[in-house]
Amino acid sequence: MNPDITRERENATFDVEKLTHILDGGIEKTKRRREIESLVISDPDFQSEDLNFLSRSERYDAAVKKSAHMILKLREYGISDPEEIYCYKSCVHRGRAEPLDLHLGMFLPTLLNQASPEQMETFFIPAWNLEIIGTYAQTEMGHGTHLRGLETTATYDPATQEFVMNSPTITSIKWWPGGLGKTSNHAIVLAQLHTQGKCHGLQAFIVPLRSMNTHIPLPGVVVGDIGPKFGFDEVDNGYLKLENVRIPRDHMLMKYAKVEADGTYVKPPSAKLTYGTMVFIRSMIVGEAGHALAKSCTIAIRYSSVRHQSEIRPGEPEPQIMDYQTQQYKLFPLLATAYAYKFVGQYMNQVYHRITGDISQGDFSELPELHALSAGLKAFTTWTASAGIEVCRMACGGHGYSRCSALPDIYVNFVPTCTYEGENTVMMLQTARFLIKSYRQASAGHQLSGIVSYLNESERRLQPQSVSSRPTVVNVNDLASLVDAYKLRAAKLVEMAAKSIQQELQKRVSQEDAWNNSAIDLVRASDAHCHYVVVKLFAAKLGEIGDTGVHSVLSTLALLYALQGIQQHSGDFLQTGLLSVPQLSQVSQRLKDLLAQLRPNAVGLVDAFDYRDEMLNSVLGRYDGNVYEHMFEWARRSPLNKTEVHESYHKYLKPLQAKL
Amino acid sequence: MNPDITRERENATFDVEKLTHILDGGIEKTKRRREIESLVISDPDFQSEDLNFLSRSERYDAAVKKSAHMILKLREYGISDPEEIYCYKSCVHRGRAEPLDLHLGMFLPTLLNQASPEQMETFFIPAWNLEIIGTYAQTEMGHGTHLRGLETTATYDPATQEFVMNSPTITSIKWWPGGLGKTSNHAIVLAQLHTQGKCHGLQAFIVPLRSMNTHIPLPGVVVGDIGPKFGFDEVDNGYLKLENVRIPRDHMLMKYAKVEADGTYVKPPSAKLTYGTMVFIRSMIVGEAGHALAKSCTIAIRYSSVRHQSEIRPGEPEPQIMDYQTQQYKLFPLLATAYAYKFVGQYMNQVYHRITGDISQGDFSELPELHALSAGLKAFTTWTASAGIEVCRMACGGHGYSRCSALPDIYVNFVPTCTYEGENTVMMLQTARFLIKSYRQASAGHQLSGIVSYLNESERRLQPQSVSSRPTVVNVNDLASLVDAYKLRAAKLVEMAAKSIQQELQKRVSQEDAWNNSAIDLVRASDAHCHYVVVKLFAAKLGEIGDTGVHSVLSTLALLYALQGIQQHSGDFLQTGLLSVPQLSQVSQRLKDLLAQLRPNAVGLVDAFDYRDEMLNSVLGRYDGNVYEHMFEWARRSPLNKTEVHESYHKYLKPLQAKL
């Protein structure tokens, strides 16, 4: 054990284990998670060469191998709780996406939700036993987030009682679905349903893609891998071009919408039913943002405690780089953010499960708010987490650029969350649509409830004339007061966006153009709303924590999170009259104090995330802090060192020398 | 040609070709650059498979092959002007780093600058003819930016007249030098010179690493590749552990410092001589930041003009995504930034060459200012450009994540500039040191000249009492007035940082701790200083441009750049009393107007960068806009599609199905 990191742990002022329990959701959950991790990590079937040393094809191969083992082991151990499956899977693939993700996470659940009882009988057991390996083919080359634009067609032919599936344009080729390229032999394909001469919009169809015996693509099916990406090397994201592929009528998922034998279309009872999955996945992503940032902070903070560099005071030994104020200022606010997002993720998960109960009872009342919240928070957290991972990486200096740091891998595997499951700017504008609608309701005298209820107050408190005269009451040392400041900022920015739309309308442009011409303001308002929600939930979480030591350190983190956000957006707080210039100087000074205050607890706070070395797979983030020996050892094992002399020497350099 | 992109080009209001000449530095330079590009691109010896489809070892192999050809071709064509060599090399390797970079860019120049005449005779011709392939081994595992901390030792043994080279600790292993792992047979090694029982600091030594015949490492030399990285797949960044390696006395570079036969150390005449190279490389990086951002903007803006998505007005065709205000707000300020950095790069290059003349005459007077400027600007431009590349990538939606977009590649190959040649935060603090020193001189009554002369004014104009009473005079429509605002902001933030140090000192902490406890403020001051310099130089560039159409569009860009910076840092401008709240609303409105104004010229402005498709290598950024067909074609060629059925099916999935 590196003596620096041992000393850091001795200096922590709180009980790390207790904080771990809070993060896991209770002592029992921590215990069970550790059991599952041990099961996987001690299992020789899941060992593999360092993935950084493999080609993409080898990485895909290794992932399929592990996934196949995983399916067997889950059944062997009888692990069936979705959360435990998720935990097991994360351990097996070390948090990476894998080829069977969409089979397990989309194909099977979609069958459960949208297949009729007869279809369940036909498809579920074969799919459960992986005779049918499925994926979910929605996104096309030309359309992703804007679903209505999808072009794939399913045209019903009553003569044969079949649907004829087609990709009528180049842009209609299905593109991106995970597991589509090489792994799956079936796909649930989203296509525009045409029957009796009319288009009835998107429906889901089960389309066989490959022979169940030979795995060779079926006639009319052009399928393959979309080629190398920034990350996701383990996943065969695929393309699919359908050329007059005929499937039987019962291959359309018919629990809700139906096509009868003669081609008559029967509408589903409610359009909101498919809403839930999207909300669930976006809520999950918020937690993943906390997770990715927590891993990155663990690596950067442990490394900053063992790396010595340069000098603060001449003649003294080189300090730990964590002693530099600039390093603290890079990392500690991100650490606070990681905690904030983990807590927000927990909250979203709870709300989702509470609301799902209501939905199954046919009560959709809370869904619009949760939908709007999950869209905006997904965008807000993934953007900041992605940027934060890179800050952590660069805070490790040059070594952060080596794949042995694991940080490049964390980045490339997390950053697509900014685009998938709804492109972030579009998500922000969805939240803005809800905010503007709520603002208008409040303006019209309706009393709002829920998270947007502050828009009621805004009508009372934020009249233009009152802004300058209202005394600034924010107390920069009081978290509740800061939550209030964030709330008022959000209210003001929603109001400004609404006014921008109003001004555009006065120029006699259309509603739609007025919206587009105010889009910058709308995104800004959504951002402020999300920021408020995060600060508020972080503050609320503190109320649940009984242990004094843990409460104290988390309070410091929450204050740091709130104050740093104010400093970064000081223009907003000054512009809206919520802070004065002298208060802003107080914020800066207080931030510095908080950094110094957190310094002794930094390693403890990342230890509490409880990532085993096997899960982090980072030489820089090792628990024992013995970085340099292992970096050397890792490098020596890397593929270019398999021979002392690379073949290119004999092929090109020696002949060149002879010619010169 | 895609009709959308054709229409965009028809709508441009300026002569694209004329702007290209300005970017190249004259019509003749454009012509010559294009000649060189054609030479390379039409040369069959430089063709290769798409690098995205190759393993790392294959990419290294392909790079060595091209570099070897390149050496022959450069001699065949008689290309010897450094700028033309650089251009040729960039074409061959498409802007990527390559295994011979340090041989050409560091080993040969260091010999020229630091070898004695006798050493030149011994080493230069063999190195010129690549019998000696060299690299420059400075960075160690434990030390990068902080050079004094390097641990490698060279101990003189007068008995044999040899230096004994050693890596005494694990952290002293040389780490990162390009071409060290597999390519080089020699290295210039920076080591602490010990002679006659005394350490004389860092000196440069020529150390043979591998046999000139067999390329096998010599006894005592442990050398290899440091393993896979985020990018730089073509380069064998290496490690080097020296175990009692003996080299003759004449292998220490002795143009300036010397060790005599008996071990007597002779000091060099000036320590500033090695300063220049560092300044030159950092200046180059500023231009590279413009370059990387220009490429990214070219891809994202061309793609945004052919991608149609969603709807603004119901019932109308899907608009080009460039019509969304949020898309314009993402991309156009970055386009302006790319132009700004290209012009700043030109300026730095000119200043460097002017000052180098003075330096060779022994006049170092301007060097500290240029050194401080190049350090800060390197950090300022590389941070913003790195973040900007990712914004461009994500502005392409999901397809930006595919390697066929080229954006992942641009990012991973550019982002290490934030760390190498001086870690960015350290660079910012170096600039801050110069600023604080200048501020103190001005406070003491010295009249400053050069770029920091505004600190004189600050003493007159920025007295605390005057801030609130001084009327706000910034005109948000006038670039000169905005340059002034940036200047006053910088002056104010330098003053605030100086005062923070002062306050710390009053708490009786040491100078060094006061500095560290003010580091956040110091970085902020440097950032403001650099921002001012960039805005100022962009404005100054406009004065050189005669053509009305080009002048007009560049003026719009410059104004956009200045106003967007104000919006992003509105807190600073409000806090320092330089802008009022109503003016900030004007800034927002003006920004939106400028986005709309630039819209018809966006494609023209990226066309003017004049990147050939072969240089961009991006499916999304194609000149003809025919994105989707080529994306499909690219995917079909990718390695996982070489067989219809991947071997993992037979190895794992089929056996799994049998077991379930």
Side-chain angles (χ1 to χ4, degrees):
Chain A
M1 194 68 69
N2 177 298
D4 286 316
I5 209 161
T6 303
R7 199 171 51 249
E8 294 294 333
R9 291 189 175 118
E10 287 163 1
N11 290 344
T13 63
F14 68 100
D15 184 336
V16 169
E17 180 69 12
K18 279 188 183 151
L19 182 48
T20 302
H21 301 158
I22 292 168
L23 288 165
D24 280 320
I27 186 165
E28 284 306 315
K29 294 222 170 176
T30 300
K31 201 174 145 231
R32 182 62 182 148
R33 174 179 57 76
R34 287 180 181 159
E35 275 169 17
I36 292 174
E37 284 174 2
S38 293
L39 273 180
V40 175
I41 287 164
S42 63
D43 190 329
D45 283 337
F46 293 127
Q47 307 308 315
S48 80
E49 171 66 294
D50 192 310
L51 297 177
N52 293 301
F53 298 160
L54 304 182
S55 73
R56 199 192 145 216
S57 182
E58 290 166 338
R59 288 177 77 150
Y60 169 68
D61 193 274
V64 174
K65 179 180 175 188
K66 284 187 202 167
S67 296
H69 280 304
M70 176 179 77
I71 300 287
L72 290 174
K73 296 279 172 166
L74 284 171
R75 298 195 184 180
E76 184 185 327
Y77 296 132
I79 296 176
S80 59
D81 174 77
E83 267 187 46
E84 293 198 351
I85 291 177
Y86 184 79
C87 176
Y88 193 92
K89 203 172 91 65
S90 296
C91 284
V92 169
H93 291 284
R94 308 292 198 256
R96 288 187 182 81
E98 51 102 359
L100 292 183
D101 270 347
L102 270 79
H103 177 78
L104 300 169
M106 287 298 292
F107 191 82
L108 291 175
T110 306
L111 285 183
L112 285 167
N113 293 331
Q114 297 184 42
S116 67
E118 305 77 46
Q119 291 178 319
M120 280 299 283
E121 214 153 294
T122 314
F123 295 110
F124 194 79
I125 293 300
W128 181 249
N129 287 333
L130 280 100
E131 284 172 65
I132 291 178
I133 305 171
T135 181
Y136 190 83
Q138 176 175 298
T139 301
E140 297 172 357
M141 214 190 248
H143 291 89
T145 304
H146 180 59
L147 290 185
R148 274 175 297 155
L150 294 177
E151 299 173 89
T152 303
T153 56
T155 308
Y156 185 65
D157 178 358
T160 59
Q161 297 205 21
E162 290 170 321
F163 293 101
V164 189
M165 309 291 297
N166 267 302
S167 308
T169 60
I170 180 104
T171 46
S172 74
I173 297 173
K174 294 289 176 189
W175 206 264
W176 283 111
L180 173 61
K182 294 284 153 183
T183 313
S184 302
N185 56 24
H186 282 68
I188 291 176
V189 171
L190 275 273
Q192 304 286 353
L193 166 65
H194 293 262
T195 179
Q196 296 179 337
K198 237 185 110 184
C199 178
H200 295 278
L202 287 181
Q203 301 295 336
F205 302 84
I206 298 178
V207 181
L209 304 178
R210 291 172 179 267
S211 152
M212 307 274 280
N213 285 318
T214 64
H215 212 61
I216 289 173
L218 297 171
V221 173
V222 181
V223 69
D225 180 88
I226 63 163
K229 296 142 296 187
F230 206 178
F232 271 53
D233 285 335
E234 284 70 27
V235 183
D236 54 323
N237 298 85
Y239 59 78
L240 171 63
K241 189 164 179 281
L242 295 166
E243 298 171 342
N244 288 311
V245 173
R246 288 183 163 258
I247 56 171
R249 183 172 68 94
D250 71 357
H251 278 42
M252 174 175 140
L253 290 177
M254 294 220 205
K255 186 170 180 185
Y256 302 112
K258 291 180 179 54
V259 172
E260 291 175 353
D262 67 348
T264 305
Y265 173 70
V266 183
K267 272 208 296 193
S270 164
K272 283 183 179 158
L273 284 160
T274 51
Y275 235 41
T277 320
M278 229 153 57
V279 171
F280 176 68
I281 292 175
R282 288 176 192 161
S283 305
M284 288 282 293
I285 292 176
V286 173
E288 290 296 321
H291 203 57
L293 208 44
K295 283 204 267 185
S296 306
C297 286
T298 302
I299 296 165
I301 287 177
R302 284 186 185 158
Y303 179 60
S304 296
S305 78
V306 300
R307 173 83 172 176
H308 290 257
Q309 194 72 186
S310 198
E311 53 188 22
I312 295 176
R313 296 171 212 95
E316 293 190 12
E318 296 183 273
Q320 293 160 282
I321 58 174
M322 199 147 64
D323 286 333
Y324 289 97
Q325 191 183 58
T326 46
Q327 188 78 349
Q328 297 171 8
Y329 190 58
K330 282 177 197 171
L331 297 178
F332 296 173
L334 290 174
L335 178 61
T337 307
Y339 271 93
Y341 292 177
K342 287 210 158 212
F343 294 143
V344 174
Q346 286 180 349
Y347 169 86
M348 301 276 288
N349 195 276
Q350 288 158 8
V351 175
Y352 175 77
H353 283 106
R354 180 169 55 73
I355 294 188
T356 333
D358 300 339
I359 294 173
S360 64
Q361 308 292 316
D363 172 7
F364 298 109
S365 60
E366 283 194 84
L367 202 52
E369 176 172 324
L370 184 63
H371 181 252
L373 189 64
S374 69
L377 281 177
K378 179 263 188 189
F380 180 81
T381 57
T382 56
W383 266 332
T384 44
S386 295
I389 296 165
E390 278 295 89
V391 171
C392 288
R393 191 179 64 71
M394 291 195 246
C396 296
H399 298 325
Y401 191 70
S402 169
R403 289 199 175 261
C404 77
S405 75
L407 288 160
D409 208 44
I410 294 173
Y411 184 69
V412 297
N413 287 316
F414 180 74
V415 75
T417 57
C418 294
T419 315
Y420 66 48
E421 302 298 333
E423 194 278 326
N424 272 359
T425 302
V426 178
M427 292 300 96
M428 280 296 196
L429 288 169
Q430 278 188 12
T431 297
R433 204 169 282 282
F434 182 75
L435 293 172
I436 294 296
K437 197 175 140 199
S438 303
Y439 173 83
R440 287 179 181 159
Q441 287 172 343
S443 303
H446 295 282
Q447 190 67 17
L448 302 174
S449 63
I451 200 99
V452 289
S453 57
Y454 66 84
L455 294 171
N456 297 322
E457 290 182 65
S458 76
E459 281 307 295
R460 288 199 308 278
R461 292 176 55 183
L462 288 175
Q463 296 308 316
Q465 64 275 22
S466 71
V467 169
S468 52
S469 58
R470 188 163 44 80
T472 308
V473 290
V474 176
N475 176 352
V476 302
N477 293 308
D478 175 42
L479 189 56
S481 177
L482 296 175
V483 173
D484 218 45
Y486 274 94
K487 181 171 76 179
L488 294 170
R489 167 185 174 237
K492 190 70 196 168
L493 293 188
V494 171
E495 187 185 34
M496 280 166 63
K499 289 202 169 142
S500 166
I501 295 173
Q502 211 51 46
Q503 281 163 11
E504 288 293 321
L505 288 172
Q506 283 161 5
K507 295 184 203 161
R508 294 168 189 272
V509 302
S510 66
Q511 277 284 355
E512 295 78 17
D513 285 328
W515 180 267
N516 186 34
N517 293 347
S518 306
I520 296 171
D521 308 282
L522 289 162
V523 171
R524 195 175 158 207
S526 278
D527 189 85
H529 173 73
C530 294
H531 214 149
Y532 157 61
V533 172
V534 174
V535 173
K536 181 186 147 92
L537 292 175
F538 200 166
K541 184 76 193 179
L542 296 178
E544 298 172 20
I545 291 160
D547 183 86
T548 326
V550 173
H551 188 277
S552 165
V553 72
L554 286 183
S555 300
T556 310
L557 275 182
L559 202 55
L560 178 69
Y561 180 75
L563 289 175
Q564 199 242 1
I566 289 177
Q567 191 173 58
Q568 282 188 320
H569 301 276
S570 60
D572 287 356
F573 288 90
L574 291 173
Q575 191 181 2
T576 51
L578 293 164
L579 273 192
S580 65
V581 169
Q583 279 182 312
L584 203 56
S585 305
Q586 278 178 41
V587 169
S588 299
Q589 188 52 52
R590 192 79 182 90
L591 267 174
K592 292 183 193 173
D593 297 343
L594 290 172
L595 296 178
Q597 204 174 317
L598 276 169
R599 169 70 185 82
N601 280 320
V603 168
L605 282 165
V606 299
D607 283 351
F609 293 132
D610 200 26
Y611 294 115
R612 290 178 58 146
D613 280 347
E614 295 86 349
M615 295 296 292
L616 278 182
N617 198 31
S618 166
V619 166
L620 302 186
R622 292 174 63 87
Y623 187 82
D624 67 10
N626 293 327
V627 165
Y628 298 112
E629 308 79 306
H630 288 94
M631 187 148 55
F632 191 36
E633 188 262 326
W634 181 86
R636 298 197 79 161
R637 282 193 291 122
S638 82
L640 249 59
N641 296 326
K642 283 199 178 128
T643 55
E644 279 284 15
V645 178
H646 193 267
E647 52 180 336
S648 59
Y649 170 74
H650 300 291
K651 280 153 70 184
Y652 314 117
L653 292 177
K654 207 161 171 70
L656 173 70
Q657 288 167 336
K659 285 182 203 160
L660 293 173
Chain B
M1 192 70 67
N2 177 298
D4 286 317
I5 210 163
T6 303
R7 201 173 46 250
E8 295 294 333
R9 291 188 174 118
E10 287 162 2
N11 289 343
T13 62
F14 69 99
D15 184 337
V16 170
E17 181 69 14
K18 278 188 183 151
L19 182 48
T20 302
H21 300 158
I22 292 167
L23 287 165
D24 281 320
I27 188 165
E28 283 306 316
K29 292 221 171 175
T30 300
K31 200 172 146 233
R32 182 61 181 146
R33 174 180 57 74
R34 288 180 181 159
E35 276 169 14
I36 292 174
E37 284 174 2
S38 293
L39 272 180
V40 175
I41 287 165
S42 63
D43 190 329
D45 284 339
F46 293 127
Q47 307 308 315
S48 80
E49 173 65 296
D50 192 309
L51 296 177
N52 294 300
F53 298 160
L54 304 181
S55 73
R56 200 192 146 217
S57 182
E58 290 165 340
R59 288 177 75 150
Y60 169 68
D61 194 274
V64 174
K65 180 180 174 186
K66 284 187 202 166
S67 294
H69 280 304
M70 176 179 77
I71 299 287
L72 289 173
K73 296 279 172 163
L74 284 171
R75 298 194 185 180
E76 183 186 328
Y77 295 133
I79 296 175
S80 60
D81 174 76
E83 267 186 46
E84 294 197 350
I85 292 177
Y86 183 78
C87 176
Y88 193 92
K89 202 171 91 65
S90 295
C91 286
V92 169
H93 291 284
R94 307 292 198 253
R96 288 188 182 81
E98 50 102 359
L100 294 183
D101 270 348
L102 271 80
H103 177 77
L104 300 169
M106 287 298 292
F107 191 83
L108 291 175
T110 306
L111 284 183
L112 283 168
N113 293 331
Q114 297 184 41
S116 67
E118 305 78 45
Q119 291 178 317
M120 280 298 283
E121 213 151 299
T122 315
F123 295 109
F124 195 78
I125 291 302
W128 182 249
N129 288 333
L130 279 100
E131 284 173 66
I132 290 178
I133 305 172
T135 181
Y136 189 83
Q138 177 174 298
T139 300
E140 296 173 359
M141 215 190 248
H143 291 88
T145 304
H146 179 60
L147 291 186
R148 273 173 299 155
L150 295 176
E151 299 174 272
T152 304
T153 55
T155 308
Y156 186 65
D157 177 358
T160 58
Q161 297 205 19
E162 288 171 323
F163 292 102
V164 189
M165 309 292 297
N166 267 302
S167 309
T169 61
I170 180 104
T171 46
S172 74
I173 297 173
K174 294 290 176 188
W175 206 265
W176 284 111
L180 173 62
K182 294 285 154 183
T183 313
S184 302
N185 56 25
H186 281 69
I188 291 176
V189 171
L190 276 273
Q192 304 285 355
L193 166 65
H194 292 262
T195 179
Q196 296 179 338
K198 236 185 111 183
C199 177
H200 295 277
L202 287 182
Q203 302 294 338
F205 302 84
I206 298 177
V207 182
L209 304 179
R210 290 174 179 266
S211 152
M212 306 274 279
N213 284 320
T214 64
H215 211 62
I216 290 173
L218 298 171
V221 172
V222 181
V223 69
D225 181 87
I226 63 164
K229 296 143 294 186
F230 206 177
F232 270 54
D233 285 336
E234 285 70 27
V235 183
D236 53 323
N237 299 85
Y239 59 77
L240 171 64
K241 188 163 179 282
L242 295 166
E243 297 171 342
N244 287 311
V245 173
R246 288 183 165 258
I247 56 171
R249 182 172 68 94
D250 70 0
H251 278 42
M252 172 176 141
L253 290 176
M254 293 218 204
K255 186 167 177 187
Y256 302 112
K258 290 180 180 55
V259 171
E260 291 175 352
D262 66 348
T264 305
Y265 173 70
V266 184
K267 273 208 294 195
S270 163
K272 282 186 181 154
L273 284 161
T274 52
Y275 236 40
T277 320
M278 230 154 56
V279 170
F280 176 68
I281 292 176
R282 288 177 192 160
S283 305
M284 288 282 292
I285 292 176
V286 172
E288 290 296 320
H291 202 56
L293 207 44
K295 283 204 268 184
S296 306
C297 286
T298 302
I299 295 165
I301 286 177
R302 284 186 183 157
Y303 179 60
S304 296
S305 78
V306 300
R307 174 83 171 175
H308 290 258
Q309 194 71 186
S310 198
E311 51 187 26
I312 294 176
R313 296 173 212 95
E316 292 190 14
E318 297 183 271
Q320 293 162 282
I321 58 173
M322 200 147 65
D323 286 333
Y324 289 97
Q325 191 183 58
T326 45
Q327 189 77 350
Q328 296 171 8
Y329 190 58
K330 282 176 195 171
L331 297 179
F332 297 173
L334 290 174
L335 177 62
T337 306
Y339 272 94
Y341 293 177
K342 286 210 160 211
F343 294 141
V344 174
Q346 286 180 349
Y347 168 86
M348 301 277 289
N349 196 276
Q350 287 157 8
V351 174
Y352 175 76
H353 282 106
R354 180 168 56 74
I355 294 188
T356 333
D358 300 340
I359 294 173
S360 63
Q361 308 292 315
D363 173 6
F364 298 108
S365 59
E366 282 195 84
L367 203 52
E369 176 172 323
L370 184 63
H371 181 252
L373 189 64
S374 68
L377 280 177
K378 178 263 187 191
F380 181 81
T381 58
T382 55
W383 265 332
T384 46
S386 296
I389 296 165
E390 279 295 87
V391 171
C392 288
R393 189 178 66 69
M394 291 194 245
C396 297
H399 298 324
Y401 192 70
S402 168
R403 287 198 177 262
C404 77
S405 74
L407 288 161
D409 207 46
I410 294 172
Y411 184 70
V412 297
N413 288 317
F414 180 74
V415 75
T417 56
C418 295
T419 316
Y420 66 47
E421 302 300 332
E423 194 279 326
N424 272 0
T425 302
V426 178
M427 293 299 96
M428 280 296 196
L429 288 168
Q430 277 187 13
T431 297
R433 206 170 280 284
F434 182 73
L435 292 172
I436 294 295
K437 196 175 141 199
S438 303
Y439 173 84
R440 287 180 180 156
Q441 287 171 343
S443 304
H446 294 282
Q447 190 67 18
L448 301 174
S449 62
I451 199 96
V452 289
S453 57
Y454 65 85
L455 294 171
N456 296 321
E457 291 181 61
S458 77
E459 281 308 295
R460 289 199 307 279
R461 293 176 54 182
L462 288 174
Q463 296 306 316
Q465 65 274 22
S466 70
V467 169
S468 52
S469 58
R470 189 161 44 81
T472 308
V473 290
V474 175
N475 176 353
V476 302
N477 293 307
D478 176 42
L479 189 57
S481 177
L482 297 175
V483 173
D484 217 46
Y486 274 95
K487 181 171 78 177
L488 293 170
R489 167 184 174 237
K492 190 69 195 170
L493 294 188
V494 172
E495 187 185 33
M496 280 166 64
K499 289 199 171 144
S500 167
I501 295 173
Q502 211 52 47
Q503 279 163 11
E504 289 292 321
L505 288 173
Q506 283 161 4
K507 295 182 200 161
R508 294 168 187 276
V509 303
S510 67
Q511 276 285 353
E512 294 78 17
D513 286 328
W515 179 265
N516 186 34
N517 294 346
S518 306
I520 296 171
D521 308 282
L522 289 161
V523 171
R524 194 174 159 208
S526 278
D527 189 84
H529 172 74
C530 294
H531 213 150
Y532 157 60
V533 171
V534 173
V535 173
K536 182 186 146 92
L537 292 174
F538 199 165
K541 184 75 194 181
L542 296 177
E544 297 173 21
I545 291 160
D547 183 85
T548 325
V550 172
H551 188 276
S552 165
V553 71
L554 287 183
S555 300
T556 310
L557 276 181
L559 203 55
L560 177 70
Y561 180 76
L563 288 175
Q564 199 242 2
I566 289 176
Q567 191 172 58
Q568 284 188 317
H569 300 276
S570 59
D572 287 358
F573 288 90
L574 291 173
Q575 190 181 3
T576 51
L578 293 164
L579 272 192
S580 65
V581 169
Q583 279 182 311
L584 204 55
S585 304
Q586 277 179 42
V587 168
S588 299
Q589 189 51 54
R590 193 79 183 91
L591 266 174
K592 292 183 193 173
D593 298 343
L594 290 172
L595 295 178
Q597 203 174 316
L598 276 169
R599 169 68 186 80
N601 280 320
V603 168
L605 283 166
V606 298
D607 283 352
F609 293 133
D610 200 25
Y611 293 115
R612 290 179 59 145
D613 280 347
E614 293 88 347
M615 294 296 292
L616 278 181
N617 197 32
S618 167
V619 167
L620 301 186
R622 292 174 62 87
Y623 186 81
D624 67 10
N626 294 327
V627 165
Y628 298 111
E629 308 79 304
H630 288 93
M631 188 149 53
F632 191 35
E633 188 262 326
W634 180 85
R636 298 197 80 161
R637 282 195 289 123
S638 81
L640 247 59
N641 296 326
K642 283 200 178 128
T643 56
E644 280 283 16
V645 178
H646 193 265
E647 52 179 338
S648 59
Y649 170 74
H650 300 290
K651 281 154 71 184
Y652 315 116
L653 292 178
K654 206 159 172 66
L656 172 70
Q657 289 168 335
K659 284 182 203 162
L660 292 172

